[in-house]
Amino acid sequence: MQRKYIVVTGGVLSGLGKGIAMASIGNILSSSYEVVPIKCDGYLNVDPGTMNPIEHGEVFVLDDGGEVDMDFGHYERFLGVTCKSDSNLTMGRVFNDILNKERRGEFLGQTVQMVPHVSEFIQDYLVDKVEGSGADVGLIEIGGTVGDMENELYLHAVKHLPRRVGRENVVFAHLTYVPVLSGVNEQKSKPTQMAIAEMGQRGIEPDIIIARCESMLSDNVRGKIARSAGLNPEDVITGLDVNDVYDIPMVFERQGMSQLLARKLDIPVRADLGEWARLVENKRNFSGEVNVALAGKYMNLEDSYASIVEALNHCSAHYGTKINIDFIDTESGLDGIEKASGVIVPGGFGSRGLEGKIVAAKYCRENKVPYLGICLGLQTAVVEYARNVCGLEGANTVEVDAGTKYPVIDIMESQKDIKNKGGTMRLGSYEAVVEEGSKINKLYGSVDVRERHRHRFEVNPEYHDVLRDKGLRLSGMSPDGKLVEFVELDDHPYFVATQGHPELKSSLLAPAPLFRGFVEACINYEGKK
Ligand code: GLN
């Protein structure tokens, strides 16, 4: 089959859910084809690893250790694929590569210019990545909104894709917005028409328009939009507002997205959304509720814990249980924790709020409340255990207290001299050998487990035996036995923590095992109340 390309752009305003729209198109295609998602971001950071999660949302980590935009979370969850870090192209990376190439003299004395050099670099990059992946369809998302200065070079580049790979092999899908004016209660097509014109000025004629709107587009508005783009009304899809983004593939499919893609790409497309739709429905028809306390910081932006929220969401569908998430900012106390059916201490950096998390871990351990510690949440549990069970008063993580008498969490030797931020952590997928018969073993159904990591500190090997002797089960270790990957308590319904980030590999069809175990424990806890 001839390789196909779908380029997704956005107009009118940001935050319309381009990542979800693209992931939903991918979801529909993925039952018939292998799809590779690629994202082009306009910012000048070489990767998002050093970007503040308050501003930018969670840093998503891939198997290969790449720190990428959180849209990759949507792609992996919706497409069931494992992405590679070179699928996230940033303008910082583009310029970095171009300038390195120039310094190496590879431009042979030419004047290096935005056009053609930068534009061609991007074109080559996109085609190489899609071809190199072996996928049937390359899905390319251009970040930002058309008209943003920082994305102009990407638009210039994709305009040339049809010439490079054949017009019949490229589909441009443009996501726009149709506001409904209050009072008159009327859908307004003008912003979308203008967004289409903006694309036209850049030499790109969209083949599909997805118009985000709070209601289904009227025939009149759909027709107007279609005419202004030189399209048929069937080429215009309503990107209906929904409460649950997992509904979007069905919203698209009900409007004939698979036939539309088949027609535009000239390939057969058969969507298979049965199991997906059943799980989404299960979430709505829940029986019973649990309250999960998420004890962290950055609480003003749920996005910084997006994958954890998603992993709980997947469990909610799996168990048909409503999961209410209570965000607790441990810097200002633990108010409300007694309502929790279970507590998650998520990943995090720095000292803010750590003492509060330690109290939360103690509360869960002593009161037999389900506890799931993720990365910093494992370190928290270990510090708490060292202090309150092993009697190591003042034990701490070196990240917070460099002079602590009992450095139970310490920096790894191999990381000590790294000053440069970005890519200096234990990043990506690592293997753990899990103790047979442990909870971890049962949950994963395996003794050989892989999860993704993003951290600098580790449980200090000098304290492994002290912790073990006092009853903390170090139930998963790195294959060389040096690094603690999982801990658990025997005499507790669910006190489990991991140095990895299992939420990053969770999906609707296959929720992360540690989250499944946690939610099941929360349900049992509620049942026993
Ligand atoms: N700050 C801790 C470390 O670097 C934990 C990081 C995390 O939770 N992702 O080891």
Side-chain angles (χ1 to χ4, degrees):
M1 177 188 122
Q2 187 63 46
R3 195 161 275 123
K4 303 288 178 178
Y5 293 76
I6 301 177
V7 180
V8 181
T9 50
V12 185
L13 45 90
S14 63
L16 292 175
K18 215 172 338 114
I20 294 287
M22 174 157 123
S24 300
I25 291 175
N27 183 312
I28 287 169
L29 284 168
S30 65
S31 35
S32 322
Y33 298 101
E34 207 179 303
V35 181
V36 63
I38 295 186
K39 169 130 200 241
C40 301
D41 282 309
Y43 47 75
L44 293 180
N45 305 63
V46 175
D47 65 52
T50 53
M51 288 163 83
N52 178 350
I54 289 193
E55 213 177 291
H56 197 71
E58 168 189 80
V59 175
F60 196 79
V61 181
L62 301 173
D63 270 0
D64 67 10
E67 299 175 276
V68 293
D69 187 271
M70 57 189 281
D71 269 342
F72 279 85
H74 301 314
Y75 305 155
E76 289 201 339
R77 290 187 284 264
F78 275 60
L79 274 69
V81 293
T82 301
C83 294
K84 294 216 172 77
S85 54
D86 59 9
S87 296
N88 193 184
L89 186 59
T90 70
M91 231 1 126
R93 187 164 183 164
V94 171
F95 288 140
N96 198 39
D97 285 15
I98 294 261
L99 293 177
N100 285 338
K101 196 170 162 195
E102 191 275 336
R103 288 292 84 186
R104 289 194 303 267
E106 287 174 26
F107 286 104
L108 306 172
Q110 290 174 69
T111 309
V112 184
Q113 294 180 292
M114 296 296 181
V115 179
H117 299 102
V118 177
S119 174
E120 278 176 8
F121 175 91
I122 297 168
Q123 293 167 42
D124 290 344
Y125 193 96
L126 296 176
V127 173
D128 278 0
K129 290 304 160 220
V130 176
E131 283 183 358
S133 74
D136 307 307
V137 184
L139 264 178
I140 301 169
E141 178 184 346
I142 310 293
T145 310
V146 172
D148 294 345
M149 183 188 275
E150 52 186 21
N151 291 308
E152 294 293 353
L153 286 163
Y154 288 131
L155 293 170
H156 191 280
V158 295
K159 173 178 79 177
H160 289 276
L161 268 186
R163 187 178 50 74
R164 293 277 298 254
V165 301
R167 179 66 186 100
E168 68 285 6
N169 298 320
V170 183
V171 161
F172 290 102
H174 195 40
L175 177 66
T176 69
Y177 180 54
V178 172
V180 177
L181 280 195
S182 60
V184 284
N185 197 24
E186 207 181 314
Q187 297 174 343
K188 301 305 262 183
S189 65
K190 190 71 75 184
T192 293
Q193 293 184 38
M194 292 172 80
I196 292 165
E198 284 261 1
M199 291 290 277
Q201 283 166 20
R202 288 164 180 79
I204 301 174
E205 292 183 348
D207 303 289
I208 296 175
I209 307 285
I210 301 169
R212 174 83 187 258
C213 188
E214 62 179 58
S215 49
M216 291 301 289
L217 297 185
S218 68
D219 288 347
N220 177 31
V221 165
R222 200 176 184 196
K224 264 194 202 167
I225 292 172
R227 274 194 301 282
S228 78
L231 296 172
N232 295 313
E234 310 82 76
D235 305 335
V236 179
I237 299 274
T238 307
L240 189 66
D241 288 0
V242 287
N243 292 326
D244 182 358
V245 294
Y246 290 86
D247 259 327
I248 295 293
M250 278 81 79
V251 168
F252 285 181
E253 193 47 20
R254 278 198 293 274
Q255 299 175 70
M257 183 61 99
S258 55
Q259 291 98 306
L260 177 56
L261 291 168
R263 187 156 48 78
K264 297 281 177 179
L265 293 167
D266 198 19
I267 51 174
V269 179
R270 197 185 56 83
D272 179 9
L273 294 171
E275 179 65 358
W276 187 276
R278 188 189 69 77
L279 286 163
V280 173
E281 208 45 53
N282 222 16
K283 246 193 289 181
R284 270 193 286 267
N285 299 329
F286 60 87
S287 58
E289 299 185 25
V290 296
N291 302 312
V292 170
L294 190 52
K297 60 177 183 179
Y298 291 141
M299 287 308 177
N300 38 351
L301 188 80
E302 291 182 22
D303 269 1
S304 34
Y305 299 118
S307 294
I308 291 183
V309 173
E310 290 308 326
L312 289 172
N313 211 341
H314 304 146
C315 293
S316 168
H318 196 81
Y319 290 106
T321 298
K322 184 166 180 230
I323 302 180
N324 307 308
I325 305 177
D326 239 337
F327 292 90
I328 293 184
D329 187 344
T330 54
E331 241 192 323
S332 39
L334 297 175
D335 282 357
I337 200 162
E338 63 294 338
K339 284 201 312 267
S341 343
V343 176
I344 297 180
V345 174
F349 292 83
S351 59
R352 276 181 42 206
L354 188 72
E355 286 301 322
K357 290 176 194 162
I358 292 171
V359 177
K362 181 166 188 273
Y363 166 83
C364 290
R365 181 174 58 76
E366 291 181 342
N367 296 292
K368 307 254 190 276
V369 178
Y371 177 90
L372 175 58
I374 294 172
C375 205
L376 182 65
L378 174 137
Q379 300 175 358
T380 306
V382 166
V383 170
E384 191 278 317
Y385 208 79
R387 284 185 192 174
N388 301 322
V389 180
C390 304
L392 306 176
E393 204 179 312
N396 215 333
T397 160
V398 172
E399 182 176 17
V400 172
D401 179 4
T404 171
K405 197 159 149 210
Y406 303 112
V408 289
I409 307 294
D410 202 356
I411 199 140
M412 296 171 271
E413 207 47 52
S414 55
Q415 299 282 359
K416 269 189 180 149
D417 292 326
I418 305 174
K419 300 263 172 347
N420 213 351
K421 288 262 186 321
T424 64
M425 293 186 265
R426 183 144 83 104
L427 278 170
S429 175
Y430 283 88
E431 191 185 340
V433 180
V434 165
E435 203 181 297
E436 240 166 296
S438 63
K439 286 194 180 94
I440 304 293
N441 176 217
K442 287 185 195 123
L443 287 165
Y444 281 93
S446 167
V447 288
D448 181 12
V449 168
R450 280 187 165 272
E451 291 291 2
R452 295 176 181 175
H453 288 246
R454 181 173 191 260
H455 59 106
R456 291 194 178 82
F457 295 84
E458 301 283 353
V459 179
N460 186 341
E462 284 174 27
Y463 292 90
H464 289 180
D465 285 341
V466 182
L467 294 162
R468 275 194 192 109
D469 289 349
K470 290 287 181 188
L472 186 67
R473 210 202 273 216
L474 311 186
S475 51
M477 303 292 289
S478 58
D480 64 6
K482 291 197 176 126
L483 304 175
V484 175
E485 299 283 15
F486 295 93
V487 306
E488 63 187 82
L489 286 178
D490 288 337
D491 187 22
H492 191 291
Y494 197 84
F495 193 97
V496 166
T498 173
Q499 195 56 76
H501 283 278
E503 72 278 17
L504 298 177
K505 290 208 304 193
S506 187
S507 70
L508 184 64
L509 301 176
L514 289 200
F515 281 82
R516 272 202 341 251
F518 173 72
V519 169
E520 212 171 297
C522 291
I523 294 170
N524 290 338
Y525 181 86
E526 278 305 309
K528 288 201 186 108
K529 255 189 184 170

